[in-house]
Amino acid sequence: MSVTYTADGQYYFNPAYANAFATAVLKIATGSTLTTNVDFFMDGTSALSNQVWGGIKRADIVFLGAVTAGDSLELAKNLLDSGDGDNPDSGPRAVLLVTELYSLWVANGIGYYGDTAGSPLFLESEFGLEVYNASGQTLITLTDRLARFVQTGTITTTTANESITVTVPGMVNNDSWNVFILSWPGLVGAYSYEITKNTGSFTLQRGSIAYGTLDYVYWIARS
Amino acid sequence: MSYGILVKNIDGRVQMDENVTNVFPDPATEGSAIVGSEYPPVGISSSEMIAVRAKSDGHVAVGVNADPNTTYDGPAFMSTNNYYITRFEGPTSGFGYHVLKPYAGNVSPSTTGIGFEIYNSSSQVVFSATESSINFKIVALGNYGTAAEEALPSATTTYPDLTKLYVLINATTHTRVYVPLYDLDYEEIIGYRYEFVSGNAGRIHICKKGGNGSNIGALPGGTSIQYLILERIP
């Protein structure tokens, strides 16, 4: 997430991580005092959220629409100025140019919103599921992308260039499905292979070197 | 969905359900190769997988098949820049690896009586927070492009602790031929490089390199490398 300001520039945003997600969440920390209207716009036309925060000390702004990299999110002026309740459709605005999405961090609350420059005003996830193990290590949070092991097996080939198709229910050719082949020691190039992900299956084609029977262990993980 | 549990992340991707199959390192302690190479496939069973990390800055070459000194059966993982690998430079500290095994539905229930557990339709425990049934989680995955790069490809993400991260990669070719008698020296190698930037923090680069003795600029192309970077949860 990078930010291009057209005015004010009192707030900026940083990604927590470089992961890509389709939903952006902006949260204001406990203790922040916002007494203004807040509007978010996508491409200057579609209102995504419009909330009035009269004396509310904590609020969440959620982009109700899916946001993808390349979108421009327009932040109404009155989030940036003194919070006097200006018409959000007037005046200069800050424009957020979305290059990556994870979550939005608001910081540097100069002026009315009060905080020292550069100090984050928030944020941790305050909704969703978090699971910790007995050692206090975080196992799962709202933003984790976890691998779910799907299937394993051994593919046996007997001839060079042999092509074997393995059925994997539900599989599609995208980055959510991952096929991994265990590398084995063997004759030069004999264990070379080519993997093709299909709908409902994947295909392993053995290399061109004759080396008798060769086994390939495969793993499939979905995320 | 008429019963069970379904948890999705903020992106809408499924994190867990009652069909969870866990992946455990077995043995729990990390294996270690200080010098040269490792033959982890020898002796392991079908369905098991090897995840390898470099312990210091350098490459891990995967699927190195040729050993002209023996029976042409070379190691599957190489960590040092030696006879087998002339294009990649391995880490001086060697590498660590885990043998990974999947387990479905046979996780031990919590012995403390507390925590978060999920049972499948056969009343088997498929997830137990207190038993640490999740030992790895994905940090990053994707397909590295068709361009061939050897040294420091374009990865820019800096992870806070590379010692917790392991890599699985997959691609179409990983061949090494070296027969000096006939002046034949050709290789197409895939692997990855750990770049330690500050302390244990650093980046991971997916790499491939090919060529021969007189034309090291000849690179394998046209195939992307699928990768999965896993973080070990203590």
Side-chain angles (χ1 to χ4, degrees):
Chain A
M1 175 73 68
S2 62
V3 179
T4 302
Y5 287 105
T6 58
D8 293 335
Q10 295 179 354
Y11 286 78
Y12 61 88
F13 297 84
N14 289 315
Y17 297 97
N19 299 334
F21 288 93
T23 302
V25 178
L26 171 62
K27 306 186 74 177
I28 307 299
T30 300
S32 301
T33 300
L34 299 176
T35 55
T36 182
N37 298 332
V38 176
D39 288 69
F40 279 87
F41 294 84
M42 179 182 290
D43 298 324
T45 56
S46 302
L48 298 177
S49 174
N50 186 337
Q51 302 179 37
V52 177
W53 299 341
I56 297 174
K57 292 187 176 181
R58 187 180 71 188
D60 300 339
I61 303 172
V62 178
F63 293 108
L64 302 179
V67 181
T68 58
D71 287 343
S72 293
L73 306 178
E74 198 166 6
L75 189 62
K77 171 190 175 185
N78 63 356
L79 180 62
L80 303 174
D81 64 16
S82 61
D84 56 4
D86 286 352
N87 183 344
D89 291 329
S90 64
R93 297 170 175 174
V95 176
L96 314 180
L97 176 62
V98 180
T99 57
E100 294 173 330
L101 285 174
Y102 172 81
S103 61
L104 305 180
W105 287 45
V106 64
N108 191 16
I110 299 173
Y112 183 81
Y113 303 112
D115 206 331
T116 56
S119 298
L121 293 177
F122 66 97
L123 69 93
E124 291 292 335
S125 174
E126 295 181 1
F127 61 95
L129 174 71
E130 292 182 346
V131 179
Y132 298 82
N133 66 14
S135 302
Q137 298 286 335
T138 303
L139 296 179
I140 300 172
T141 69
L142 177 66
T143 56
D144 283 336
R145 182 175 177 176
L146 301 178
R148 287 176 293 141
F149 177 83
V150 176
Q151 184 173 318
T152 185
T154 301
I155 300 171
T156 299
T157 65
T158 57
T159 60
N161 295 315
E162 185 176 0
S163 183
I164 303 290
T165 296
V166 177
T167 299
V168 183
M171 186 173 191
V172 294
N173 183 11
N174 62 30
D175 74 353
S176 293
W177 290 85
N178 303 272
V179 181
F180 297 98
I181 304 295
L182 180 61
S183 294
W184 294 79
L187 180 66
V188 176
Y191 276 97
S192 293
Y193 57 86
E194 182 169 342
I195 295 294
T196 303
K197 291 186 289 188
N198 311 307
T199 300
S201 67
F202 75 91
T203 301
L204 179 145
Q205 179 167 352
R206 176 175 152 176
S208 59
I209 297 177
Y211 194 56
T213 298
L214 297 178
D215 290 336
Y216 299 81
V217 173
Y218 69 89
W219 265 32
I220 299 174
R222 187 179 183 185
S223 62
Chain B
M1 179 176 174
S2 58
Y3 70 96
I5 186 172
L6 178 63
V7 178
K8 295 183 178 181
N9 70 4
I10 194 171
D11 193 36
R13 294 179 179 276
V14 175
Q15 290 181 311
M16 44 195 321
D17 57 22
E18 70 276 11
N19 297 315
V20 170
T21 297
N22 298 280
V23 174
F24 290 94
D26 187 14
T29 55
E30 180 185 62
S32 182
I34 302 300
V35 294
S37 60
E38 181 62 28
Y39 298 79
V42 174
I44 74 168
S45 304
S46 172
S47 82
E48 298 171 354
M49 189 60 68
I50 310 296
V52 179
R53 72 175 177 94
K55 290 184 174 180
S56 58
D57 200 298
H59 290 90
V60 176
V62 178
V64 186
N65 296 28
D67 180 358
N69 288 329
T70 58
T71 59
Y72 295 95
D73 289 340
F77 297 89
M78 292 294 299
S79 67
T80 59
N81 184 16
N82 61 21
Y83 189 75
Y84 304 95
I85 302 296
T86 58
R87 312 294 183 221
F88 284 4
E89 293 185 6
T92 56
S93 300
F95 57 78
Y97 64 89
H98 274 293
V99 178
L100 305 180
K101 297 181 178 181
Y103 290 84
N106 56 356
V107 177
S108 299
S110 168
T111 56
T112 61
I114 61 173
F116 178 71
E117 294 178 342
I118 297 175
Y119 292 77
N120 64 14
S121 57
S122 301
S123 299
Q124 297 171 312
V125 178
V126 295
F127 175 86
S128 173
T130 54
E131 296 303 310
S132 299
S133 57
I134 290 181
N135 294 96
F136 290 91
K137 64 181 179 181
I138 290 178
V139 174
L141 60 81
N143 287 287
Y144 183 64
T146 57
E149 299 180 72
E150 175 185 15
L152 288 176
S154 54
T156 57
T157 300
T158 299
Y159 299 106
D161 189 354
L162 289 182
T163 67
K164 298 179 179 178
L165 302 184
Y166 298 81
V167 181
L168 297 175
I169 62 173
N170 185 21
T172 58
T173 60
H174 38 79
T175 302
R176 163 79 165 137
V177 178
Y178 189 90
V179 185
L181 179 63
Y182 299 100
D183 195 25
L184 173 62
D185 177 5
Y186 182 78
E187 59 190 345
E188 288 186 338
I189 300 170
I190 64 171
Y192 42 90
R193 174 174 175 175
Y194 278 53
E195 180 197 8
F196 286 80
V197 177
S198 177
N200 288 330
R203 294 180 278 268
I204 293 177
H205 306 272
I206 308 301
C207 305
K208 55 182 176 180
K209 177 68 176 178
N212 56 50
S214 60
N215 183 19
I216 62 172
L219 305 175
T223 58
S224 61
I225 302 176
Q226 191 171 57
Y227 65 91
L228 187 69
I229 300 176
L230 303 172
E231 178 181 350
R232 172 77 195 272
I233 301 173

